[in-house]
Amino acid sequence: MFVVLTVAVLAMLASGKYLDRTTRTHGPMKLVGDIKGVEAPDFSLLTLDGQKVKLSDYRGKAVLLNFWATWCPPCKVEMPWFVDLQKQYGKDGLIILGVAMDDSEPATIAKFAQDLGVNYTVLIGTDKVSDDYGDVQYLPTTFFIGRNGAVVDKLTGLLDRKDIEDDVKKALSTDSGAPLRPAPVQQNQAQVQPKPVPPDPPDTRVPR
């Protein structure tokens, strides 16, 4: 029990806040609150070799969208699992996209991914895609997107491989024509301008 508790605590610490992002200006944040059944925001990101990839290119497929970084120990634990899942479920329509959220050069990220035998597409993350996905502040964070483009589930931190595989199966079992819910948009507090308070109406009472 002590060993299990220790591992769990270390995993939580390792998957803590990945970057102090208070120094940048946030855009509107999507995927806030109850996001299941909500359409996953489309994006256009670059691969490590400079090719452009859009999420909408994979409509009709099940997508595992994993936000990670080269310096994130729990991410390194998960990545071989993703390699196996891509091998096992790729024929069934699974697409895994790994979004690198660190400041390393593409060549450094590519070397890291190659050393781990990554067999899925790795993309260079941006502040915008982070905001679009609810301001991703903890790594790893993984979204499971169904064939209809809707979010099936979201996992944060290092969890059990079975939890990940179960969500992959849920995403694969979705109907490509299932209806979507529109994504809510939450303005960052710095962007919300207070409404002006109208002045009090003049006192029209007749003095007695």
Side-chain angles (χ1 to χ4, degrees):
M1 178 64 71
F2 175 76
V3 172
V4 171
L5 182 60
T6 301
V7 171
V9 170
L10 290 175
M12 285 188 292
L13 290 174
S15 61
K17 214 168 190 179
Y18 79 89
L19 185 64
D20 181 3
R21 317 197 78 182
T22 56
T23 57
R24 77 172 181 88
T25 301
H26 291 270
M29 287 184 285
K30 305 176 185 177
L31 291 191
V32 292
D34 180 12
I35 64 173
K36 290 185 180 180
V38 170
E39 183 175 9
D42 199 7
F43 56 71
S44 180
L45 296 175
L46 296 178
T47 64
L48 297 175
D49 58 359
Q51 301 299 310
K52 190 175 293 187
V53 167
K54 298 177 68 176
L55 178 64
S56 54
D57 293 338
Y58 301 108
R59 186 60 64 90
K61 304 284 188 178
V63 177
L64 185 160
L65 183 66
N66 174 247
F67 290 85
W68 67 285
T70 56
W71 45 260
C72 166
C75 301
K76 192 172 182 178
V77 173
E78 285 186 336
M79 292 172 80
W81 300 347
F82 296 152
V83 170
D84 291 342
L85 290 170
Q86 185 64 76
K87 290 178 181 177
Q88 183 174 354
Y89 295 103
K91 65 182 183 302
D92 299 321
L94 176 66
I95 299 293
I96 298 180
L97 301 176
V99 182
M101 295 300 293
D102 56 314
D103 297 326
S104 301
E105 293 295 324
T108 302
I109 299 173
K111 175 65 165 58
F112 182 90
Q114 183 179 13
D115 289 344
L116 287 176
V118 169
N119 59 350
Y120 52 88
T121 301
V122 175
L123 306 172
I124 305 299
T126 63
D127 287 341
K128 183 179 184 306
V129 75
S130 171
D131 285 341
D132 282 351
Y133 280 79
D135 187 18
V136 177
Q137 296 188 39
Y138 295 87
L139 297 179
T141 291
T142 304
F143 293 84
F144 299 85
I145 302 168
R147 297 179 187 273
N148 63 337
V151 176
V152 172
D153 203 0
K154 171 187 176 181
L155 300 179
T156 301
L158 179 61
L159 299 177
D160 189 80
R161 172 175 172 158
K162 183 178 183 302
D163 295 327
I164 296 173
E165 187 166 6
D166 285 347
D167 276 337
V168 165
K169 291 177 180 178
K170 289 178 186 176
L172 285 169
S173 67
T174 55
D175 181 354
S176 59
L180 302 168
R181 291 200 297 130
V185 177
Q186 174 179 303
Q187 296 291 332
N188 182 266
Q189 290 298 317
Q191 296 177 301
V192 178
Q193 299 297 323
K195 295 182 179 180
V197 178
D200 293 332
D203 187 354
T204 57
R205 293 176 297 173
V206 178
R208 300 180 63 180

